[in-house]
Structures are given as C-alpha cells and as structure tokens.
Amino acid sequence: MQNVVTSGVFELDGGQWDVDNNVWLIGDDSEVLVIDAAHDAAKIAEAVGDRTVRAIVCTHAHNDHVNAAPELAERTGAPILLHPDDRVLWNLTHSDRAPDADLSDGQVLTIGGTDLTVLHTPGHAPGAVCLYAPQLGVVFTGDTLFHGGPGATGRSYSDYPTIVRSIRERLFTLPDATTVNTGHGESTTIGTEKANSAGWAD
C-alpha cells in the first residue's frame, strides 16, 4: 500500500479550490490498483514504476479525483472503473471519454492477493464508493469519511442525511480498528470517527 499526494484544483458549481489529494496504490511488486487518479498522471505513473496497473478505481467523479484518469489509462492501458450513479459528475470533466466499466455494490476487486469490496456510500456524490480490504484492516473512503467527520455536502449532487446514513450503515459496521484512508488529509480509524459522531444531525 502506497500513498502518493498530488495537488491541483477542485472545480464545481462555478467555484475553484486548491486541494491536495491522496492517491492510493494497492497491490504487490508486479501489479497494482490505483485509487483516485488525481491531478498528475506522470507522478502517479512514476510511483507505479514497472508494475502493471490492473485498474484505475474512482471513489467518485469530482474532477479532483478523476482529472488524471484518462491520461493514466492511456499511459498504462488500465481500465477506468466508476459507479454508474456518478456518470453525471464524470461527464462534467470528461464528456468525450466514458469510464470503461461500472463498479457495483458488493463487487470484489482482487489485486496482488488482496481483496477489496466495493461499498456504495452515496451522499458526497451519488455514486460514491468506499473500498474495504479486510486482510489489510483498511477502508479507502474517498471523500465519504474523513478524520473529523463526513465529507462535504454543500454542493450539487450531494446530500447530508444520505452521507450520514451511508457512514453509519456501511462504514460504522466495520471493525473499530479499521484504518480509514481518506481522499484528502490524514488517516483515522472507524472507532475514532464513530466515537465522535454523536453530534451529527440525522
């Protein structure tokens, strides 16, 4: 498991924000999955090295998580995977290039002997997913859950009650010791965020 931090601009609803994104590489010495190809395909490809990229997995389709995906796919030959409910957001950034395959709730992706289960967790975006790797004790949450609480829901195609329900029903049922690797910022644990969630509105 490897973390690559890339920097760029998040754009939605006419606004722009400078952001640092966590790109996660999961696999072994010969093959990897890339989770969220953000901003800088060259930097991600350099981190991949001579390993084979089996897939570029999008936790959701906000531009800062997918803007480097087509270029990385072209460099590596890897397919881009996205939940179909997020095509409306994908098309805002890549109207001329569709994802290659759909992600679905409960789907299992296997890479380097590690299984990652797709959990559909709408709220931050309609097709947002998290990827749970029980063998590693890790869940990759994109922008659904952060150190400090739920992802933002103040912009188009997002909904606060939906994200809270997704976190409580899909993520807080995971073991408390599970590490939460996020789309931005530092990691946390399920237990930490659960303990601090009492004040969340439903």
Side-chain angles (χ1 to χ4, degrees):
M1 182 168 45
Q2 186 178 354
N3 178 216
V4 180
V5 178
T6 60
S7 301
V9 177
F10 168 49
E11 301 181 37
L12 188 65
D13 297 339
Q16 295 187 338
W17 301 266
D18 292 330
V19 288
D20 295 328
N21 283 63
N22 292 322
V23 181
W24 297 96
L25 308 183
I26 311 303
D28 57 20
D29 292 338
S30 63
E31 61 178 9
V32 294
L33 291 178
V34 174
I35 300 175
D36 288 344
H39 308 303
D40 192 336
K43 185 174 183 179
I44 299 167
E46 182 181 2
V48 169
D50 60 1
R51 293 175 289 181
T52 299
V53 179
R54 295 298 181 192
I56 299 163
V57 184
C58 308
T59 62
H60 62 294
H62 284 147
N63 79 291
D64 60 316
H65 290 255
V66 301
N67 50 12
E71 182 184 342
L72 187 64
E74 189 173 331
R75 284 171 175 261
T76 62
I80 299 170
L81 312 184
L82 176 74
H83 193 284
D85 289 358
D86 248 30
R87 281 297 298 277
V88 62
L89 287 166
W90 172 273
N91 290 340
L92 295 176
T93 304
H94 301 302
S95 60
D96 57 345
R97 203 282 193 203
D100 298 293
D102 291 341
L103 292 170
S104 59
D105 186 59
Q107 178 181 358
V108 177
L109 306 173
T110 301
I111 187 74
T114 298
D115 292 339
L116 295 100
T117 300
V118 177
L119 306 174
H120 183 209
T121 52
H124 179 71
V129 301
C130 298
L131 300 162
Y132 176 46
Q135 294 150 281
L136 303 178
V138 170
V139 62
F140 300 91
T141 57
D143 287 1
T144 293
L145 180 63
F146 290 107
H147 176 70
T153 54
R155 292 181 269 277
S156 294
Y157 308 108
S158 64
D159 183 71
Y160 181 78
T162 301
I163 199 172
V164 169
R165 185 165 59 250
S166 290
I167 293 168
R168 287 185 168 152
E169 294 180 0
R170 306 308 306 278
L171 299 181
F172 284 175
T173 55
L174 302 178
D176 283 354
T178 303
T179 298
V180 176
N181 285 338
T182 63
H184 307 272
E186 63 186 290
S187 297
T188 181
T189 67
I190 290 293
T192 297
E193 299 313 312
K194 191 189 299 185
N196 293 327
S197 69
W200 297 1
D202 288 316

